[in-house]
Amino acid sequence: MPTLDELRQMPHISVSSLKCFLACPRKFRIRYIDRVESAFKPVALPFGSAWHDLVGFVLHRHGRGEAATREEAHDHLRTVLHQQLNNDGPPVLFEDNEDEGQLADTAMAMLDAFTAKVAMPEEVLRIELPFSVELHDPNTGETLPAPLIGSVDAVVRENGRTALWELKSAKRRWSEDALSFDLQPTSYQLGLRSQGLDDVDLRLLVVTKSRRPDVQVERLHRGPDDERDLLATAASVVRAVQAGCDHPVRSWQCKTCEYAGVCR
Amino acid sequence: MNKSLNETRTHSGERSVNMDVAALVAELNDASEALRRVAAHLERAGNGGRAADNGRAAPTSVGERLTTKQLGYINAIARRAGLSRDALIKLLLDTTGKDDPALLSRSEASSVIDRLNQVADQTS
Protein backbone atom coordinates (compact mmCIF):
# COMPACT_ATOMS: atom_id res chain seq x y z
CA MET A 1 0.00 0.00 0.00
CA PRO A 2 1.41 3.41 -0.92
CA THR A 3 1.82 6.00 1.78
CA LEU A 4 -0.90 8.59 2.32
CA ASP A 5 1.25 11.24 0.62
CA GLU A 6 1.65 8.97 -2.42
CA LEU A 7 -2.09 8.28 -2.48
CA ARG A 8 -2.76 12.02 -2.40
CA GLN A 9 -0.75 12.50 -5.60
CA MET A 10 -3.28 10.44 -7.53
CA PRO A 11 -6.93 11.29 -8.17
CA HIS A 12 -8.77 10.58 -4.96
CA ILE A 13 -11.72 11.33 -2.72
CA SER A 14 -11.25 12.01 0.96
CA VAL A 15 -13.58 12.82 3.83
CA SER A 16 -11.81 16.18 4.07
CA SER A 17 -12.59 16.97 0.44
CA LEU A 18 -16.20 15.86 0.85
CA LYS A 19 -16.61 18.08 3.91
CA CYS A 20 -14.96 20.97 2.05
CA PHE A 21 -17.46 20.65 -0.81
CA LEU A 22 -20.42 20.39 1.55
CA ALA A 23 -19.27 23.54 3.38
CA CYS A 24 -18.45 25.57 0.24
CA PRO A 25 -18.28 24.27 -3.34
CA ARG A 26 -16.34 27.38 -4.33
CA LYS A 27 -13.62 26.60 -1.80
CA PHE A 28 -13.56 23.01 -3.04
CA ARG A 29 -13.00 24.19 -6.59
CA ILE A 30 -10.22 26.60 -5.64
CA ARG A 31 -8.44 24.05 -3.46
CA TYR A 32 -8.91 20.76 -5.27
CA ILE A 33 -9.49 21.66 -8.92
CA ASP A 34 -7.68 24.96 -9.42
CA ARG A 35 -5.10 23.78 -6.86
CA VAL A 36 -4.43 27.26 -5.58
CA GLU A 37 -2.06 27.25 -2.63
CA SER A 38 -3.69 28.56 0.53
CA ALA A 39 -2.62 32.00 1.73
CA PHE A 40 -1.92 30.70 5.20
CA LYS A 41 -2.29 27.67 7.46
CA PRO A 42 -4.23 27.92 10.74
CA VAL A 43 -2.10 26.71 13.63
CA ALA A 44 -4.60 23.96 14.40
CA LEU A 45 -3.29 21.97 11.45
CA PRO A 46 0.42 21.82 12.35
CA PHE A 47 -0.49 21.48 16.03
CA GLY A 48 -2.77 18.56 15.24
CA SER A 49 -0.02 16.91 13.20
CA ALA A 50 2.44 17.37 16.06
CA TRP A 51 -0.10 15.95 18.52
CA HIS A 52 -0.63 12.86 16.36
CA ASP A 53 3.10 12.43 16.05
CA LEU A 54 3.58 12.77 19.83
CA VAL A 55 1.00 10.13 20.69
CA GLY A 56 2.37 7.93 17.92
CA PHE A 57 5.82 8.28 19.47
CA VAL A 58 4.50 7.16 22.87
CA LEU A 59 2.52 4.28 21.35
CA HIS A 60 5.49 3.16 19.26
CA ARG A 61 7.73 3.00 22.33
CA HIS A 62 5.01 1.15 24.24
CA GLY A 63 4.69 -1.29 21.35
CA ARG A 64 8.40 -2.06 21.70
CA GLY A 65 7.97 -2.76 25.38
CA GLU A 66 9.49 0.54 26.44
CA ALA A 67 7.95 3.52 28.18
CA ALA A 68 8.86 6.93 26.84
CA THR A 69 9.80 9.27 29.68
CA ARG A 70 8.10 12.62 29.87
CA GLU A 71 11.38 14.30 29.02
CA GLU A 72 11.81 12.15 25.91
CA ALA A 73 8.27 12.92 24.86
CA HIS A 74 8.84 16.63 25.46
CA ASP A 75 12.06 16.66 23.40
CA HIS A 76 10.35 14.79 20.57
CA LEU A 77 7.39 17.17 20.67
CA ARG A 78 9.54 20.32 20.55
CA THR A 79 11.40 19.01 17.50
CA VAL A 80 8.27 17.97 15.62
CA LEU A 81 6.29 21.08 16.56
CA HIS A 82 9.08 23.38 15.44
CA GLN A 83 9.29 21.54 12.12
CA GLN A 84 5.55 21.73 11.60
CA LEU A 85 5.39 25.45 12.39
CA ASN A 86 8.33 26.37 10.17
CA ASN A 87 7.83 24.10 7.17
CA ASP A 88 8.06 25.51 3.67
CA GLY A 89 4.67 26.46 2.34
CA PRO A 90 1.92 28.78 3.51
CA PRO A 91 2.71 30.79 6.64
CA VAL A 92 1.24 29.45 9.89
CA LEU A 93 -0.97 31.87 11.84
CA PHE A 94 -1.43 31.54 15.59
CA GLU A 95 -4.54 32.23 17.63
CA ASP A 96 -4.43 35.06 20.17
CA ASN A 97 -2.09 34.60 23.14
CA GLU A 98 -0.25 31.72 21.51
CA ASP A 99 3.37 31.09 20.72
CA GLU A 100 5.47 28.03 20.07
CA GLY A 101 6.44 27.59 23.71
CA GLN A 102 2.87 27.89 24.90
CA LEU A 103 1.72 25.36 22.30
CA ALA A 104 4.37 22.91 23.48
CA ASP A 105 3.23 23.35 27.08
CA THR A 106 -0.37 22.76 26.01
CA ALA A 107 0.58 19.60 24.12
CA MET A 108 2.43 18.22 27.13
CA ALA A 109 -0.53 18.98 29.39
CA MET A 110 -2.70 17.17 26.85
CA LEU A 111 -0.34 14.19 26.90
CA ASP A 112 -0.42 14.09 30.69
CA ALA A 113 -4.22 14.07 30.62
CA PHE A 114 -4.25 11.43 27.87
CA THR A 115 -1.92 9.01 29.63
CA ALA A 116 -3.75 9.50 32.92
CA LYS A 117 -7.11 8.55 31.42
CA VAL A 118 -6.33 6.18 28.54
CA ALA A 119 -4.79 2.82 29.34
CA MET A 120 -2.06 1.76 26.96
CA PRO A 121 -3.19 -1.07 24.68
CA GLU A 122 -2.10 -4.68 25.04
CA GLU A 123 -0.48 -4.53 21.63
CA VAL A 124 0.19 -1.84 19.03
CA LEU A 125 -0.41 -3.40 15.62
CA ARG A 126 0.09 -0.39 13.42
CA ILE A 127 0.53 3.38 13.60
CA GLU A 128 -0.62 5.44 10.61
CA LEU A 129 -2.25 2.83 8.40
CA PRO A 130 -3.15 4.29 4.97
CA PHE A 131 -6.00 2.88 2.96
CA SER A 132 -7.55 3.24 -0.49
CA VAL A 133 -11.06 1.98 -1.11
CA GLU A 134 -13.00 1.79 -4.35
CA LEU A 135 -16.45 3.33 -3.91
CA HIS A 136 -19.70 2.51 -5.63
CA ASP A 137 -22.84 4.60 -6.04
CA PRO A 138 -25.33 2.81 -3.73
CA ASN A 139 -28.21 3.59 -6.13
CA THR A 140 -26.70 2.71 -9.49
CA GLY A 141 -23.79 0.47 -8.55
CA GLU A 142 -21.53 2.65 -10.68
CA THR A 143 -17.91 2.78 -9.57
CA LEU A 144 -16.88 6.29 -8.62
CA PRO A 145 -14.01 7.76 -10.67
CA ALA A 146 -11.56 7.92 -7.78
CA PRO A 147 -10.98 5.87 -4.62
CA LEU A 148 -11.59 7.03 -1.08
CA ILE A 149 -8.28 7.42 0.70
CA GLY A 150 -7.31 8.11 4.28
CA SER A 151 -5.12 6.99 7.11
CA VAL A 152 -6.06 5.38 10.39
CA ASP A 153 -4.12 6.79 13.35
CA ALA A 154 -3.50 3.50 15.15
CA VAL A 155 -4.65 -0.10 15.16
CA VAL A 156 -4.25 -1.80 18.54
CA ARG A 157 -5.33 -4.81 20.56
CA GLU A 158 -7.22 -4.06 23.75
CA ASN A 159 -9.51 -6.22 25.87
CA GLY A 160 -8.73 -9.06 23.50
CA ARG A 161 -10.15 -7.21 20.50
CA THR A 162 -8.74 -5.27 17.59
CA ALA A 163 -9.50 -1.58 17.84
CA LEU A 164 -8.95 1.50 15.73
CA TRP A 165 -7.80 4.52 17.69
CA GLU A 166 -8.73 7.85 16.14
CA LEU A 167 -6.83 10.65 17.87
CA LYS A 168 -8.13 14.19 17.86
CA SER A 169 -6.99 17.47 19.33
CA ALA A 170 -9.88 19.90 19.35
CA LYS A 171 -11.16 23.07 20.96
CA ARG A 172 -14.10 21.20 22.39
CA ARG A 173 -15.52 17.73 22.86
CA TRP A 174 -17.38 16.08 20.03
CA SER A 175 -21.13 16.56 20.13
CA GLU A 176 -23.62 13.69 20.13
CA ASP A 177 -24.46 14.42 16.51
CA ALA A 178 -20.82 14.30 15.46
CA LEU A 179 -20.35 11.05 17.36
CA SER A 180 -23.32 9.56 15.54
CA PHE A 181 -22.93 10.94 12.05
CA ASP A 182 -19.42 12.14 11.26
CA LEU A 183 -18.24 10.56 8.02
CA GLN A 184 -14.65 10.03 9.04
CA PRO A 185 -15.16 7.04 11.36
CA THR A 186 -17.34 5.47 8.68
CA SER A 187 -14.53 5.88 6.16
CA TYR A 188 -12.11 4.21 8.57
CA GLN A 189 -14.42 1.23 8.95
CA LEU A 190 -14.50 0.85 5.16
CA GLY A 191 -10.76 1.34 4.98
CA LEU A 192 -9.98 -1.29 7.59
CA ARG A 193 -12.30 -3.80 5.94
CA SER A 194 -10.42 -3.26 2.68
CA GLN A 195 -7.25 -4.24 4.55
CA GLY A 196 -8.84 -7.44 5.75
CA LEU A 197 -9.65 -6.07 9.21
CA ASP A 198 -13.29 -6.68 10.01
CA ASP A 199 -15.11 -6.54 13.34
CA VAL A 200 -12.89 -3.73 14.60
CA ASP A 201 -13.90 -1.50 17.50
CA LEU A 202 -13.90 2.21 16.59
CA ARG A 203 -12.50 4.32 19.43
CA LEU A 204 -12.46 8.08 19.33
CA LEU A 205 -9.98 9.77 21.65
CA VAL A 206 -10.42 13.54 21.77
CA VAL A 207 -8.17 15.68 23.93
CA THR A 208 -9.21 19.31 24.19
CA LYS A 209 -6.60 21.92 23.52
CA SER A 210 -6.68 23.93 26.72
CA ARG A 211 -4.76 24.61 29.93
CA ARG A 212 -6.78 21.87 31.62
CA PRO A 213 -7.32 19.38 28.81
CA ASP A 214 -10.36 17.17 28.83
CA VAL A 215 -10.14 13.65 27.44
CA GLN A 216 -13.19 12.27 25.67
CA VAL A 217 -13.12 8.53 25.02
CA GLU A 218 -15.96 7.16 22.93
CA ARG A 219 -16.73 3.88 21.31
CA LEU A 220 -18.37 4.66 17.96
CA HIS A 221 -20.79 2.53 16.01
CA ARG A 222 -21.17 2.63 12.25
CA GLY A 223 -23.63 0.31 10.53
CA PRO A 224 -24.68 -0.42 6.94
CA ASP A 225 -26.89 2.67 6.83
CA ASP A 226 -23.96 4.87 7.82
CA GLU A 227 -21.81 3.32 5.11
CA ARG A 228 -24.58 3.83 2.58
CA ASP A 229 -24.78 7.49 3.63
CA LEU A 230 -21.06 7.90 3.02
CA LEU A 231 -21.29 6.28 -0.41
CA ALA A 232 -24.33 8.36 -1.35
CA THR A 233 -22.60 11.54 -0.20
CA ALA A 234 -19.47 10.73 -2.17
CA ALA A 235 -21.46 9.85 -5.31
CA SER A 236 -23.54 13.00 -5.03
CA VAL A 237 -20.52 15.25 -4.54
CA VAL A 238 -18.75 13.64 -7.52
CA ARG A 239 -21.81 14.27 -9.72
CA ALA A 240 -22.03 17.87 -8.54
CA VAL A 241 -18.34 18.52 -9.18
CA GLN A 242 -18.55 16.95 -12.63
CA ALA A 243 -21.54 19.19 -13.37
CA GLY A 244 -19.44 22.24 -12.49
CA CYS A 245 -21.19 23.07 -9.24
CA ASP A 246 -19.01 25.71 -7.58
CA HIS A 247 -21.24 28.26 -5.90
CA PRO A 248 -19.82 30.06 -2.86
CA VAL A 249 -21.40 29.64 0.57
CA ARG A 250 -20.89 32.93 2.40
CA SER A 251 -20.74 32.67 6.17
CA TRP A 252 -18.66 33.53 9.22
CA GLN A 253 -16.06 31.15 7.82
CA CYS A 254 -15.23 33.58 5.01
CA LYS A 255 -13.43 35.91 7.43
CA THR A 256 -10.65 33.41 8.02
CA CYS A 257 -10.80 31.48 4.74
CA GLU A 258 -7.39 30.66 3.32
CA TYR A 259 -8.67 31.50 -0.17
CA ALA A 260 -10.33 34.84 0.51
CA GLY A 261 -7.78 36.52 -1.73
CA VAL A 262 -8.81 34.66 -4.86
CA CYS A 263 -12.46 33.92 -4.11
CA ARG A 264 -13.83 37.34 -4.99
CA MET B 1 -19.97 31.57 -22.41
CA ASN B 2 -23.09 30.50 -24.27
CA LYS B 3 -25.02 33.61 -23.30
CA SER B 4 -23.18 35.66 -25.87
CA LEU B 5 -23.70 33.20 -28.70
CA ASN B 6 -27.10 32.49 -30.15
CA GLU B 7 -27.26 29.69 -32.67
CA THR B 8 -30.17 29.66 -35.07
CA ARG B 9 -31.13 27.84 -38.20
CA THR B 10 -31.73 29.67 -41.47
CA HIS B 11 -34.78 28.86 -43.56
CA SER B 12 -32.57 26.51 -45.57
CA GLY B 13 -31.47 24.63 -42.46
CA GLU B 14 -28.01 26.11 -42.30
CA ARG B 15 -26.55 27.00 -38.93
CA SER B 16 -26.07 30.65 -38.17
CA VAL B 17 -24.40 32.02 -35.07
CA ASN B 18 -25.28 35.49 -33.96
CA MET B 19 -22.79 37.05 -31.68
CA ASP B 20 -23.68 39.52 -28.98
CA VAL B 21 -20.35 41.27 -29.03
CA ALA B 22 -20.93 43.31 -25.90
CA ALA B 23 -21.91 40.23 -23.90
CA LEU B 24 -18.93 38.32 -25.22
CA VAL B 25 -16.57 41.15 -24.26
CA ALA B 26 -18.09 41.25 -20.78
CA GLU B 27 -17.65 37.50 -20.34
CA LEU B 28 -14.06 37.61 -21.56
CA ASN B 29 -13.32 40.46 -19.14
CA ASP B 30 -14.80 38.48 -16.23
CA ALA B 31 -12.69 35.45 -17.13
CA SER B 32 -9.62 37.62 -17.52
CA GLU B 33 -10.19 39.23 -14.12
CA ALA B 34 -10.55 35.82 -12.47
CA LEU B 35 -7.30 34.64 -14.07
CA ARG B 36 -5.57 37.85 -13.02
CA ARG B 37 -6.58 37.33 -9.39
CA VAL B 38 -5.32 33.75 -9.40
CA ALA B 39 -2.06 34.83 -11.02
CA ALA B 40 -1.62 37.58 -8.43
CA HIS B 41 -2.20 35.11 -5.63
CA LEU B 42 0.25 32.63 -7.09
CA GLU B 43 2.82 35.37 -7.56
CA ARG B 44 2.47 36.45 -3.95
CA ALA B 45 2.74 32.86 -2.75
CA GLY B 46 5.82 32.38 -4.90
CA ASN B 47 7.43 35.58 -3.69
CA GLY B 48 6.55 34.85 -0.06
CA GLY B 49 4.55 38.06 -0.01
CA ARG B 50 7.66 40.16 0.20
CA ALA B 51 7.20 43.81 0.87
CA ALA B 52 7.28 46.40 -1.87
CA ASP B 53 10.59 48.08 -2.47
CA ASN B 54 10.20 50.79 0.11
CA GLY B 55 12.63 49.42 2.67
CA ARG B 56 10.09 47.96 5.12
CA ALA B 57 11.18 44.64 6.55
CA ALA B 58 8.96 41.57 6.31
CA PRO B 59 8.97 39.47 9.48
CA THR B 60 9.35 35.81 8.72
CA SER B 61 9.09 34.49 12.26
CA VAL B 62 5.89 32.59 12.86
CA GLY B 63 5.63 34.19 16.29
CA GLU B 64 5.60 37.71 14.80
CA ARG B 65 2.86 37.11 12.26
CA LEU B 66 -0.67 38.40 12.73
CA THR B 67 -3.15 36.11 14.44
CA THR B 68 -6.07 34.39 12.80
CA LYS B 69 -8.38 36.70 14.70
CA GLN B 70 -6.62 39.79 13.35
CA LEU B 71 -6.90 38.42 9.83
CA GLY B 72 -10.60 37.83 10.41
CA TYR B 73 -11.03 41.40 11.61
CA ILE B 74 -9.21 42.77 8.57
CA ASN B 75 -11.43 40.83 6.16
CA ALA B 76 -14.61 41.65 8.09
CA ILE B 77 -13.96 45.38 8.41
CA ALA B 78 -12.88 45.62 4.78
CA ARG B 79 -16.15 44.04 3.76
CA ARG B 80 -18.11 46.37 6.06
CA ALA B 81 -16.29 49.34 4.55
CA GLY B 82 -17.25 48.14 1.08
CA LEU B 83 -13.64 47.68 -0.03
CA SER B 84 -12.91 45.39 -2.94
CA ARG B 85 -10.01 42.99 -2.62
CA ASP B 86 -7.89 45.26 -4.78
CA ALA B 87 -8.76 48.27 -2.63
CA LEU B 88 -7.81 46.33 0.50
CA ILE B 89 -4.48 45.36 -1.03
CA LYS B 90 -3.85 49.02 -1.94
CA LEU B 91 -4.59 50.03 1.65
CA LEU B 92 -2.20 47.35 2.90
CA LEU B 93 0.53 48.61 0.57
CA ASP B 94 -0.04 52.21 1.63
CA THR B 95 -0.05 51.31 5.34
CA THR B 96 2.59 48.58 5.55
CA GLY B 97 4.29 48.18 2.19
CA LYS B 98 2.99 44.62 1.97
CA ASP B 99 0.38 43.23 -0.37
CA ASP B 100 -0.51 40.00 1.43
CA PRO B 101 -2.56 40.17 4.65
CA ALA B 102 -1.25 36.75 5.73
CA LEU B 103 2.28 38.10 6.05
CA LEU B 104 1.59 41.11 8.23
CA SER B 105 3.15 41.32 11.66
CA ARG B 106 0.86 41.71 14.67
CA SER B 107 1.66 45.41 15.00
CA GLU B 108 1.18 45.97 11.25
CA ALA B 109 -2.15 44.20 11.45
CA SER B 110 -3.19 46.49 14.31
CA SER B 111 -2.30 49.51 12.18
CA VAL B 112 -4.27 48.14 9.25
CA ILE B 113 -7.29 47.44 11.47
CA ASP B 114 -7.17 51.00 12.80
CA ARG B 115 -6.98 52.37 9.28
CA LEU B 116 -9.80 50.15 8.09
CA ASN B 117 -11.99 51.27 10.98
CA GLN B 118 -11.38 54.87 9.92
CA VAL B 119 -12.40 54.05 6.37
CA ALA B 120 -15.45 52.15 7.57
CA ASP B 121 -16.51 55.07 9.78
CA GLN B 122 -16.14 57.47 6.88
CA THR B 123 -18.29 55.36 4.59
CA SER B 124 -21.00 54.60 7.16
Side-chain angles (χ1 to χ4, degrees), chain A residues 37 40 92 94 96 255 262, chain B residues 41 65 67-69 71 75:
Chain A
E37 188 180 62
F40 66 92
V92 174
F94 285 132
D96 287 354
K255 286 198 294 292
V262 292
Chain B
H41 180 88
R65 286 183 208 130
T67 66
T68 316
K69 199 176 206 177
L71 180 63
N75 285 330

Side-chain angles (χ1 to χ4, degrees), chain A residues 37-46 83-95 256 258, chain B residues 41 44-50 59-68 71 98 100-105:
Chain A
E37 188 180 62
S38 58
F40 66 92
K41 196 186 293 186
V43 71
L45 292 179
Q83 285 171 351
Q84 289 287 337
L85 293 176
N86 295 281
N87 269 344
D88 289 338
V92 174
L93 299 189
F94 285 132
E95 302 283 343
T256 51
E258 309 93 302
Chain B
H41 180 88
R44 285 195 294 273
N47 292 338
R50 281 192 294 272
T60 56
S61 161
V62 61
E64 293 176 329
R65 286 183 208 130
L66 81 170
T67 66
T68 316
L71 180 63
K98 292 179 184 172
D100 188 344
L103 291 175
L104 298 175
S105 69

Side-chain angles (χ1 to χ4, degrees), chain A:
Chain A
M1 173 63 64
T3 65
L4 185 60
D5 282 341
E6 288 166 346
L7 290 172
R8 282 181 177 144
Q9 302 309 312
M10 298 178 275
H12 65 273
I13 298 167
S14 66
V15 170
S16 299
S17 66
L18 293 179
K19 288 182 176 180
C20 180
F21 185 89
L22 294 172
C24 180
R26 176 65 55 85
K27 185 172 181 176
F28 177 94
R29 193 205 76 202
I30 293 172
R31 172 181 281 174
Y32 292 101
I33 298 177
D34 298 343
R35 296 194 173 271
V36 176
E37 188 180 62
S38 58
F40 66 92
K41 196 186 293 186
V43 71
L45 292 179
F47 182 85
S49 295
W51 169 248
H52 276 77
D53 196 286
L54 176 62
V55 178
F57 171 78
V58 171
L59 282 176
H60 179 69
R61 294 288 288 271
H62 173 76
R64 285 173 22 187
E66 305 161 9
T69 66
R70 195 177 191 278
E71 187 179 352
E72 287 170 331
H74 185 257
D75 288 345
H76 182 84
L77 168 71
R78 289 304 297 252
T79 301
V80 170
L81 184 61
H82 185 77
Q83 285 171 351
Q84 289 287 337
L85 293 176
N86 295 281
N87 269 344
D88 289 338
V92 174
L93 299 189
F94 285 132
E95 302 283 343
D96 287 354
N97 305 316
E98 274 182 347
D99 58 34
E100 187 170 335
Q102 185 269 337
L103 286 177
D105 290 343
T106 296
M108 289 309 296
M110 290 167 65
L111 184 65
D112 291 339
F114 180 85
T115 54
K117 183 156 182 184
V118 180
M120 285 289 108
E122 295 150 14
E123 188 179 355
V124 178
L125 299 175
R126 184 65 187 266
I127 294 170
E128 292 288 335
L129 177 65
F131 62 84
S132 176
V133 183
E134 192 176 76
L135 298 181
H136 301 272
D137 187 320
N139 293 318
T140 66
E142 177 190 356
T143 302
L144 299 190
L148 173 72
I149 70 168
S151 179
V152 169
D153 291 335
V155 182
V156 303
R157 291 285 295 180
E158 56 180 8
N159 303 318
R161 288 179 55 79
T162 303
L164 169 162
W165 277 18
E166 174 59 11
L167 306 165
K168 296 285 185 193
S169 62
K171 284 185 178 177
R172 56 189 65 85
R173 295 166 66 94
W174 273 36
S175 67
E176 283 299 322
D177 291 331
L179 293 172
S180 296
F181 299 124
D182 192 276
L183 295 175
Q184 200 169 38
T186 316
S187 77
Y188 294 152
Q189 184 162 281
L190 287 180
L192 286 175
R193 192 179 302 135
S194 75
Q195 305 269 338
L197 291 168
D198 218 332
D199 191 28
V200 175
D201 292 343
L202 301 177
R203 290 250 271 164
L204 177 72
L205 303 153
V206 181
V207 185
T208 57
K209 191 179 152 192
S210 65
R211 287 186 188 176
R212 289 187 181 180
D214 185 21
V215 182
Q216 180 183 18
V217 181
E218 306 279 357
R219 180 166 175 199
L220 305 181
H221 299 275
R222 292 293 187 270
D225 287 344
D226 300 301
E227 294 185 7
R228 187 182 172 88
D229 278 351
L230 171 58
L231 295 173
T233 301
S236 180
V237 168
V238 165
R239 280 197 298 272
V241 171
Q242 288 175 337
C245 180
D246 70 345
H247 58 273
V249 176
R250 305 291 178 200
S251 72
W252 57 270
Q253 297 186 58
C254 293
K255 286 198 294 292
T256 51
C257 178
E258 309 93 302
Y259 302 100
V262 292
C263 182
R264 260 187 173 175

Side-chain angles (χ1 to χ4, degrees), chain B residues 11-103:
Chain B
H11 67 278
S12 61
E14 292 171 344
R15 287 170 58 195
S16 172
V17 177
N18 301 312
M19 185 181 297
D20 182 337
V21 175
L24 179 60
V25 169
E27 286 169 7
L28 286 170
N29 281 334
D30 286 345
S32 172
E33 175 57 25
L35 285 170
R36 190 202 65 76
R37 287 200 300 270
V38 171
H41 180 88
L42 290 170
E43 184 180 2
R44 285 195 294 273
N47 292 338
R50 281 192 294 272
D53 289 332
N54 60 4
R56 300 195 199 206
T60 56
S61 161
V62 61
E64 293 176 329
R65 286 183 208 130
L66 81 170
T67 66
T68 316
K69 199 176 206 177
Q70 286 181 310
L71 180 63
Y73 280 151
I74 288 172
N75 285 330
I77 301 170
R79 198 153 35 243
R80 179 157 50 89
L83 293 183
S84 67
R85 191 68 185 181
D86 288 341
L88 172 61
I89 299 303
K90 183 176 183 309
L91 185 147
L92 289 178
L93 280 168
D94 291 342
T95 309
T96 68
K98 292 179 184 172
D99 63 356
D100 188 344
L103 291 175

